[in-house]
Amino acid sequence: MSVDDPAPVADEQATKDEPVPKPRSAETDDLPFGKPGRPFRRSPFSIGFAGGLGLVLAYATYLAARNALGILVLIFIALFLAIGLNPAVVRLRRIGVPRGGAVAIVALALVLVLAGAIGALVPPLVTQVGDFITAAPGYIEALQRNDTINDLVGQFDLVDRAKSLASPETLSRALGGVFGGAKLLFGTIFQVLTVLVLTIYFMASFDKMKSAAYGLVPASRRERVRLLSDEILAKVGAYIVGALAIAVLAGISAFVFSMIVGLAYPFALAVVVAVCDLIPQIGATIGAVIVTIVAFADSLTVGIAAAVFFIVYQQIENYLIYPKVMRKSVKVSDVAAIVAALVGVGLFGVLGALVAIPAVAALQLIVREVVMPRQEAR
């Protein structure tokens, strides 16, 4: 190559002017597994395949949800309780209690309330069954001395039918029924313990669960979603606290009335009224009917007094107590509450009735803050 040829000098100068590229690292602080590549090109085949795969996954998800419906209901109940009990945990933390200690205190209170309710309901049930078994021979003797009963026994051949009922096949079916009852009992105990344990876990990790859920939202909308979600959770918590307060007040009122008129097992009746009162709109009536029936079984005067008492108390609860406790926190109209409770009962039973009002409150908030502004901006 000749000296007059300027190409090597130009190449050397260009090499000096260009910055030396730094070696690309597969890891960075924000992307420890490397930078994602460009998305695949969309083609009719890929779109169709993705659509078909989506349908298959949707159907598989439906089957899985249907098979695990019982567990999902327990998880939902536990999450609902955790949301309602979280304000108590927050208040304990404000006075200096660590989160673990606050969760432990609230969980202990929940266990004590549950144990108290079981302790109030089980002994009367056992006592009544024992009294019936003890008095059963006397009932049979009284029936045997009745001529009309003896004529019916001979006319309808009740003795032979009783012998057929005592056959081995019938006894085996009855034994299966006993095992079925035992299975139902232990299944109920397992479900209660599962809900209790899940509620404690959800309360302990409530903040982490919220942060993880908000992390799934795009960053541009995360703050607004967080504000709306926190308001919805606050409404759910306020509803549960208000419902518990109203139920406790109804139970105390029923206990005082039962003590005054001398009904048996007043604490058990108060627990029944309080539990039924948790069901919106119709629960208080159910509890009142149960206690009134028990009162009529005691005497006609006490039954009339119970009917009058619960009619007056329900008017006070519906028009004085409930508006002051619930409407200021949840802000759901009476018509919306009644319709929501009826639809919830029709769809999901008692569980639907419990979550109907906070669901309507959340829906109203979303409509007011999201749907209406978009409609006004068009």
Side-chain angles (χ1 to χ4, degrees), residues 347-358:
L347 293 177
F348 305 105
V350 177
L351 180 62
L354 291 176
V355 303
I357 293 180

Side-chain angles (χ1 to χ4, degrees), residues 218-372:
S220 59
R221 301 181 180 181
R222 189 171 301 162
E223 182 64 20
R224 180 168 172 79
V225 170
R226 184 185 66 80
L227 294 174
L228 290 173
S229 301
D230 288 345
E231 182 67 19
I232 292 174
L233 294 176
K235 287 183 178 294
V236 174
Y239 167 76
I240 296 177
V241 172
L244 289 176
I246 296 174
V248 169
L249 183 58
I252 293 174
S253 302
F255 177 77
V256 173
F257 171 79
S258 301
M259 291 292 294
I260 292 175
V261 299
L263 287 178
Y265 309 111
F267 187 64
L269 294 176
V271 171
V272 171
V273 171
V275 172
C276 292
D277 203 77
L278 291 173
I279 304 174
Q281 306 300 325
I282 60 175
T285 303
I286 295 174
V289 169
I290 293 174
V291 178
T292 303
I293 292 174
V294 174
F296 272 112
D298 185 69
S299 69
L300 179 61
T301 306
V302 176
I304 294 174
V308 173
F309 168 77
F310 281 107
I311 289 175
V312 174
Y313 177 79
Q314 285 191 12
Q315 301 306 312
I316 296 174
E317 179 182 294
N318 293 335
Y319 294 101
L320 293 178
I321 301 173
Y322 189 89
K324 291 183 179 180
V325 175
M326 299 295 292
R327 291 177 188 169
K328 292 182 179 179
S329 56
V330 184
K331 297 180 180 179
V332 176
S333 64
D334 293 337
V335 176
I338 294 174
V339 172
L342 294 176
V343 173
V345 170
L347 293 177
F348 305 105
V350 177
L351 180 62
L354 291 176
V355 303
I357 293 180
V360 170
L363 183 62
Q364 286 183 349
L365 178 65
I366 294 174
V367 170
R368 185 176 68 249
E369 299 294 334
V370 178
V371 178
M372 296 302 295

Side-chain angles (χ1 to χ4, degrees), residues 141-158:
E141 292 179 1
L143 291 176
Q144 289 177 348
R145 291 193 297 266
N146 193 310
D147 295 335
T148 304
I149 297 298
N150 291 329
D151 293 340
L152 291 175
V153 169
Q155 182 179 356
F156 294 99
D157 199 13
L158 297 180

Side-chain angles (χ1 to χ4, degrees), residues 138-190:
Y139 294 150
I140 295 175
E141 292 179 1
L143 291 176
Q144 289 177 348
R145 291 193 297 266
N146 193 310
D147 295 335
T148 304
I149 297 298
N150 291 329
D151 293 340
L152 291 175
V153 169
Q155 182 179 356
F156 294 99
D157 199 13
L158 297 180
V159 175
D160 293 338
R161 294 188 178 185
K163 291 180 180 180
S164 64
L165 291 176
S167 62
E169 294 81 5
T170 306
L171 292 177
S172 63
R173 287 197 298 268
L175 188 62
V178 170
F179 281 126
K183 181 179 178 181
L184 177 62
L185 176 61
F186 286 107
T188 303
I189 295 174
F190 171 77

Side-chain angles (χ1 to χ4, degrees), residues 90-99:
V90 173
R91 291 190 178 184
L92 289 175
R93 293 188 64 187
R94 289 177 181 175
I95 62 176
V97 181
R99 183 166 187 86

